[in-house]
Amino acid sequence: MKPDHPDPSPAEPPPPAWENIPVIAQALSDVTGVAIPPADVDGALAHAQTRRMASSARDAVGSAATRSTPLERGALRLRSRSLHSSFWRGALPGAAITLGVALVAAYAVTHRTSARTPSVFDATHGTVYTTRVGERATLVLSDGSRVMLAPQTTLRVDPAYGSESRIVSLSGEAYFDVANTTAKPFTVRNGGVSAHVLGTAFNIRHYPEDAVVRVAVTQGKVTVQSDVARHASVTLTAGMVGDVNDSTATATSDGDMEQYTVWTKGNLVFHKAPTAEVLAALTRWYGYRFQLADPILANKNVTVWLSTESLPTALGTLKLVLDADLTFKDSVVTLRARRTSRVPAQTKYDQRDSISTLKAEVGR
Amino acid sequence: MALPYLFAVFPDDPPNSGGEFGHPRTADTRSGTVPPHDLERVERIRAGDEAAYDAMFVELYAPLREFAATYLRTVTVAEEIVQDVFLDVWIRRADWWPVGGVRPYLFRAVRNRAMNVIRHTRTAARLGTGDVEDWMGGPPPPPNDARPGAALVAALAPVIASLPPARRRAALLRWHFGMSYAEIAEVMNTSVASVTKHIARAREDVRPVVERYLKE
């Protein structure tokens, strides 16, 4: 391939004379590249057009733009086998069997065309999207509203979505960016609470173990109301966080909104959170279960910033914050408080060493 | 058990995709500049023009595939990565704003994805390879004696193979893909100044071989 420089920047120094001698230019090109069989561009284009049509078809019914590569998709299937069953037993006992069977069927159909998020369409119940342990997904609904689902979250889109009203039901955590294209109200039902919105961005969270539905608004305005007691209602504007359950509604304006949405970028932030909350989140993100060998660890409040990119790094940080030792057995991590509260400086701060040890332990 | 966490993968968004989900979107997602020669096709693709998109695919598929292969050694995975990058552009076309130009944008998106795949393969974790850029390259092509310059290729191969990864990467983008310094900087996520430095050093490294060849 002959080099040509279509857009030379003025700052570029002129190349030496020899670089433009054709034989030398060709040799430099050959030697820096790699030898691979020639590309079948026509075949690749046909494949790309098929995938593009598949993605447009899914958009039409309000569906998923996902982020994954083939390797990861294969790996996710592999992983789901080991984790799926415990999730369904714990989270959604009632609907588990029906939904589970349907999801497997839908997944088999859609995964080839890069829709990693299983979805089921049903005229009565609407479309259901589910993320598993460690999985996030971004959905684009038919009106252009975007939803990012956290791990172990189920979103059900009403069959009449977009016609008169826009109603979705949620179990778990999701970040909504609602398109304000129409005057149709947008409603999220979650844990016996409804959030009514009109063109706004907010995070809503209610996992089965959470006592309240927590809504954090980053843009616009949301009214959150209990489905049981109508007086338990609160209106939130940007920068406000509301906690609502069956009977009470409270709002705070807590300066730092990032802690509620930072998971969308693959990070987890905890501010003076009980150990159990941190470990519950890690279980959702990685599928490992955690046991506390010493009750003293349960009473700690943890303030920590974790990147979910890598379990060893996250656990290495947690280990320092809790001052605990970790042991791995199967998919259970046991945390044990350190015997001495004063840790020798060398042990405590040699984080790289502890991370590589953890990698070795996890990798076994 | 297997290593589930390794595959809890959330590849980076392609760079500069604009309007990244999770951030409050501004009214106009276009910030930064797309060079004039790419403006028309970017606007057409943003508007959903399939012909413009296909033309872009035909133009850039082969070089991107080759570039991906420099990271992965496996042509199949390289092809799938390139397909994913193109599909992603289509899905997000309305927000697509390739700052720095279409070609460097796509190269960089391929690079990001390739590095994510590498980072998350089991082998990489087990070996604890810190610098994924080190994975570059298959073996240089075998010299073909029938061609002029075969001797030069044979003499250059060990020099190129011994270059530090970043310098070699810059040399690849310059000499093989014929990119400008600004484009290389965009692809490698670095400054034009450091690209200038890499190229200058790569030239110094190959100069003795080239001069010897020219004398003969």
Side-chain angles (χ1 to χ4, degrees), chain A residues 4 12 19 29 49 51 70, chain B residues 54 80 84 176 178 181 203:
Chain A
D4 62 334
E12 249 174 66
E19 199 174 300
S29 169
Q49 285 167 339
R51 291 180 71 189
Chain B
D54 286 348
E80 289 182 352
D84 283 353
H176 192 72
Y181 286 20
R203 281 178 180 145

Side-chain angles (χ1 to χ4, degrees), chain B residues 31 90 131 186 197 199:
Chain B
S31 54
W90 182 256
D131 186 0
E186 198 65 50
K197 203 162 68 187
I199 300 291

Side-chain angles (χ1 to χ4, degrees), chain A residues 131-348:
Chain A
T131 53
R132 287 173 300 229
V133 170
E135 193 180 19
R136 291 184 304 178
T138 304
L139 312 175
V140 181
L141 302 178
S142 53
D143 62 341
S145 295
R146 304 232 255 174
V147 190
M148 187 179 263
L149 305 181
Q152 285 197 347
T153 294
T154 298
L155 180 82
R156 193 171 66 74
V157 180
D158 193 75
Y161 184 93
S163 59
E164 286 164 16
S165 58
R166 297 182 283 174
I167 300 176
V168 297
S169 309
L170 182 76
S171 160
E173 181 165 16
Y175 183 85
F176 288 85
D177 193 352
V178 177
N180 188 12
T181 49
T182 57
K184 293 165 193 160
F186 186 100
T187 305
V188 184
R189 295 191 195 284
N190 185 0
V193 160
S194 296
H196 306 281
V197 300
L198 196 63
T200 190
F202 63 99
N203 191 73
I204 179 162
R205 172 189 160 123
H206 178 80
Y207 280 106
E209 76 269 20
D210 292 339
V212 294
V213 177
R214 177 163 289 177
V215 180
V217 180
T218 53
Q219 269 185 343
K221 198 170 170 183
V222 179
T223 301
V224 191
Q225 187 176 44
S226 162
D227 292 342
V228 185
R230 294 282 161 186
H231 66 271
S233 160
V234 63
T235 297
L236 308 166
T237 53
M240 288 174 79
V241 180
D243 287 344
V244 181
N245 62 17
D246 282 348
S247 53
T248 59
T250 55
T252 49
S253 51
D254 170 330
D256 178 23
M257 296 305 289
E258 205 188 359
Q259 59 175 309
Y260 301 105
T261 58
V262 80
W263 65 266
T264 61
K265 291 168 223 158
N267 296 310
L268 291 173
V269 175
F270 299 95
H271 187 65
K272 291 185 183 158
T275 310
E277 186 186 327
V278 178
L279 297 180
L282 288 178
T283 301
R284 270 195 292 275
W285 283 85
Y286 298 113
Y288 279 81
R289 276 174 295 129
F290 295 87
Q291 272 181 355
L292 297 177
D294 293 307
I296 190 172
L297 290 174
N299 300 328
K300 292 201 175 190
N301 280 334
V302 183
T303 298
V304 68
W305 186 100
L306 299 170
S307 164
T308 59
E309 282 289 304
S310 145
L311 177 66
T313 316
L315 288 185
T317 313
L318 190 70
K319 191 171 157 171
L320 290 177
V321 171
L322 287 173
D323 198 13
D325 285 320
L326 312 181
T327 49
F328 295 81
K329 190 162 190 293
D330 300 327
S331 58
V332 179
V333 181
T334 306
L335 290 88
R336 200 165 268 112
R338 289 247 170 111
R339 287 288 160 246
T340 49
S341 58
R342 280 188 142 253
V343 183
Q346 202 184 348
T347 321
K348 186 164 182 180

Side-chain angles (χ1 to χ4, degrees), chain B residues 118-203:
Chain B
I118 292 165
R119 211 177 276 141
H120 291 106
T121 51
R122 205 175 294 200
T123 325
R126 196 174 289 148
L127 298 176
T129 46
D131 186 0
V132 292
E133 293 271 12
D134 278 342
W135 271 54
M136 166 149 172
N144 179 350
D145 289 332
R147 259 190 352 212
L152 181 60
V153 168
L156 281 173
V159 178
I160 296 294
S162 68
L163 296 184
R167 201 182 302 171
R168 190 171 162 200
R169 184 68 57 196
L172 166 82
L173 293 169
R174 177 66 176 188
W175 288 329
H176 192 72
F177 292 109
M179 288 191 175
S180 71
Y181 286 20
E183 285 178 311
I184 297 171
E186 198 65 50
V187 176
M188 292 180 66
N189 194 17
T190 183
S191 65
V192 174
S194 71
V195 172
T196 310
K197 203 162 68 187
H198 287 315
I199 300 291
R201 288 189 178 156
R203 281 178 180 145

Side-chain angles (χ1 to χ4, degrees), chain A residues 1 14 32 44 47 64 66 89 127 145 238 243 257 278 302 357:
Chain A
M1 193 184 297
T32 49
H47 182 52
T66 59
R89 265 202 308 277
T127 312
S145 295
D243 287 344
M257 296 305 289
V278 178
V302 183
T357 315

